[in-house]
Amino acid sequence: TENSEFAYPNNFTHVCERCNIVGCQECESRDRCKRCFPSFKPDWDGTGCTYVWDAHAQRSLSVALPLFGALVFVVVVIFTAIDACGCCGRCLPQEAPPEGE
């Protein structure tokens, strides 16, 4: 879970140390992120970075599920209206038999 490619300078030990925050491009300290990578956003307290797609997916899901439910409802209403007599199309006009039979 460490970000070994990006280190931060530890002012107490005077040694660069690994950043512990996944998605952090520049650490302020071992547990605080100064700047996150693209496609990540900083947490409100600066202690982590969240992948932006996750946030979009959660918001999108709250919109997509009701829309899907509405679509299913409309399809059911349309099929019910088409089959008004309740006989799966038997009340629709029948084709005329060919002449001569």
Side-chain angles (χ1 to χ4, degrees):
T1 62
E2 292 180 345
N3 187 354
S4 58
E5 295 179 15
F6 294 92
Y8 74 96
N10 187 328
N11 293 327
F12 297 109
T13 62
H14 302 289
V15 175
C16 288
E17 294 183 10
R18 292 182 180 179
C19 181
N20 286 334
I21 302 170
V22 175
C24 186
Q25 187 172 15
E26 183 181 347
C27 281
E28 191 173 303
S29 68
R30 180 178 211 96
D31 299 314
R32 291 191 63 79
C33 185
K34 189 173 186 179
R35 185 175 68 232
C36 297
F37 281 110
S39 298
F40 286 83
K41 69 176 183 175
D43 292 344
W44 64 273
D45 59 356
T47 58
C49 295
T50 304
Y51 187 54
V52 175
W53 190 87
D54 293 339
H56 290 306
Q58 291 172 359
R59 275 186 257 126
S60 298
L61 196 57
S62 66
V63 173
L65 287 178
L67 287 177
F68 180 74
L71 177 65
V72 169
F73 177 76
V74 168
V75 169
V76 168
V77 167
I78 289 172
F79 279 111
T80 303
I82 289 172
D83 188 29
C85 68
C87 53
C88 297
R90 286 191 300 260
C91 64
L92 297 175
Q94 300 295 320
E95 289 186 25
E99 290 185 29
E101 283 187 21

